[in-house]
Amino acid sequence: VLKMAGSSTPWIGSAYLFLQSTCKTIVLPNLYESAQKKPCVFKALKLALADSTGSMNGVDMLKVHCSHPHLIVQLKFCKQENCRRFLQSYREGLLHKSLQNHLQLSLAMTTVPLEMELKAGNEHLDGMLKDEDRCLECIYREKPDRLRDEEITELEERLKSLILHQNINNNVPSKDCMSPNSPSLPSQGSSLSPQVTFVFQGQQFDNRTLTPDDHQKFAKLVSKNWKQVGRSLQKNCRALRDPVIDNLAHEYDREGLYEQAYQMLLRFIQSEGKKATIARLIAALEENGLTSLSEELLGLHSNEDDS
């Protein structure tokens, strides 16, 4: 006899989330099977699922199956309200957006276009999402057929210690990476807005957000020094923390230095938003002795030098 929620037994249900990238060069099962990328994919899945239920414990991953071209995540729900929240997030496209964002950041890629499908037993839930109660019933009817996979437990532990480690590190005042002649920026996590002006070579400049023109000039002129600049920026930018810079070098190796530099600065701009300012980039350039590139970005080169 099927006992629905409300009886004394806990509400437990199971579903399968099918994920596939629509970009031919991104094969999710291959990424998950790579020892280096697996923790990154797992972290993105975990954070997106937490976003969808509002809690890190809202839904459990029991196992991740690699079934080309799909990555199939077996989910376990222990409370009806968590499952309901998950279904709402899935239906409204929020889970989709969140997972794309987390994959993009974790894997240090520009975009990770995704297709998703949700199944419970033989039922395809995508066609009945408007009937939330029916979806809940299908998920409740499917009881998990396994305990959590040992590999998942291990990945969970690694992720927890990583988050703890980051929290500890973020509370330690970081060495300020600003150059002596520019006012220091607030450290990460501060609610202060960036300074309005900064000083370079004795002149005062407006501290604006980086523009597409800055972005292209930087990528064109920084050449092989892009990695050092990235490492200077990473001190106050979580999206560039190791091993992101090395991954970018590897991923865009064929495209060459312009694309590698462009993608590195793109990560910075995407993650920092309005805080991705010219002062922070100039400070990182100065730290690496790239004065002429700083001058170029600030329009101090009067000579028509199209090198």
Side-chain angles (χ1 to χ4, degrees):
V1 179
L2 179 70
K3 289 185 175 180
M4 278 306 283
S7 64
S8 57
T9 52
W11 198 98
I12 291 177
S14 179
Y16 287 90
L17 184 62
F18 286 71
L19 303 169
Q20 179 184 355
S21 168
T22 54
C23 172
K24 283 180 185 170
T25 55
I26 301 171
V27 185
L28 291 176
N30 290 357
L31 289 171
Y32 196 77
E33 282 167 343
S34 136
Q36 190 192 4
K37 304 275 184 172
K38 180 176 287 192
C40 303
V41 178
F42 179 80
K43 178 184 175 185
L45 287 168
K46 186 76 184 162
L47 294 176
L49 289 169
D51 287 347
S52 76
T53 58
S55 153
M56 278 302 255
N57 307 315
V59 53
D60 265 341
M61 278 191 269
L62 296 183
K63 186 171 174 65
V64 177
H65 306 264
C66 292
S67 172
H68 291 264
H70 291 100
L71 200 63
I72 306 171
V73 188
Q74 187 174 4
L75 303 172
K76 175 188 173 186
F77 297 91
C78 290
K79 283 184 179 170
Q80 188 176 347
E81 61 263 34
N82 285 342
C83 189
R84 199 180 282 279
R85 270 198 208 110
F86 168 85
L87 284 169
Q88 285 165 355
S89 171
Y90 183 86
R91 186 178 66 232
E92 289 162 14
L94 299 174
L95 175 66
H96 185 271
K97 196 173 176 184
S98 170
L99 184 54
Q100 277 190 326
N101 288 343
H102 285 302
L103 281 169
Q104 198 175 316
L105 285 170
S106 287
L107 295 166
M109 290 179 172
T110 333
T111 52
V112 184
L114 283 182
E115 276 181 359
M116 286 185 160
E117 204 180 337
L118 190 61
K119 294 181 185 176
N122 298 323
E123 300 283 357
H124 291 251
L125 302 185
D126 294 73
M128 57 171 94
L129 290 170
K130 285 182 178 164
D131 190 346
E132 203 172 273
D133 288 335
R134 188 174 161 211
C135 289
L136 284 166
E137 202 171 310
C138 293
I139 292 171
Y140 178 78
R141 203 181 299 137
E142 288 301 313
K143 292 293 177 251
D145 59 357
R146 57 157 63 243
L147 293 170
R148 187 158 55 171
D149 200 64
E150 280 177 16
E151 182 181 62
I152 298 281
T153 308
E154 193 183 311
L155 286 162
E156 292 257 4
E157 291 308 314
R158 276 174 73 178
L159 183 60
K160 273 181 196 159
S161 65
L162 182 74
I163 290 169
L164 188 69
H165 183 65
Q166 277 179 353
N167 288 346
I168 291 167
N169 282 355
N170 286 348
N171 290 336
V172 175
S174 59
K175 188 174 141 286
D176 189 21
C177 72
M178 293 291 113
S179 62
N181 58 355
S182 70
S184 66
L185 278 175
S187 64
Q188 191 184 358
S190 161
S191 61
L192 292 170
S193 57
Q195 80 267 23
V196 183
T197 59
F198 67 103
V199 177
F200 175 77
Q201 294 182 347
Q203 290 189 51
Q204 212 162 33
F205 291 90
D206 286 339
N207 186 22
R208 51 186 172 74
T209 305
L210 292 169
T211 65
D213 191 46
D214 298 327
H215 195 167
Q216 284 168 358
K217 266 187 192 166
F218 169 80
K220 183 180 164 190
L221 300 170
V222 72
S223 188
K224 64 180 186 299
N225 299 307
W226 71 269
K227 272 190 175 185
Q228 290 95 299
V229 178
R231 294 212 160 89
S232 294
L233 288 171
Q234 84 179 173
K235 295 173 194 173
N236 282 313
C237 175
R238 190 175 288 169
L240 291 177
R241 297 268 164 93
D242 291 333
V244 171
I245 290 168
D246 290 332
N247 288 350
L248 285 171
H250 178 68
E251 191 182 340
Y252 295 97
D253 184 36
R254 283 186 185 170
E255 284 89 343
L257 293 171
Y258 174 91
E259 193 59 30
Q260 291 170 335
Y262 187 90
Q263 293 295 334
M264 184 278 289
L265 198 60
L266 181 66
R267 297 292 175 282
F268 177 69
I269 291 166
Q270 285 177 334
S271 97
E272 298 295 299
K274 286 180 181 170
K275 291 183 185 172
T277 59
I278 189 78
R280 288 174 75 179
L281 182 56
I282 296 295
L285 291 170
E286 287 301 278
E287 193 173 288
N288 293 286
L290 300 170
T291 305
S292 67
L293 178 46
S294 300
E295 291 170 347
E296 186 71 44
L297 288 171
L298 294 170
L300 294 175
H301 278 174
S302 51
N303 57 337
E304 302 293 305
D305 184 19
D306 266 357
S307 59

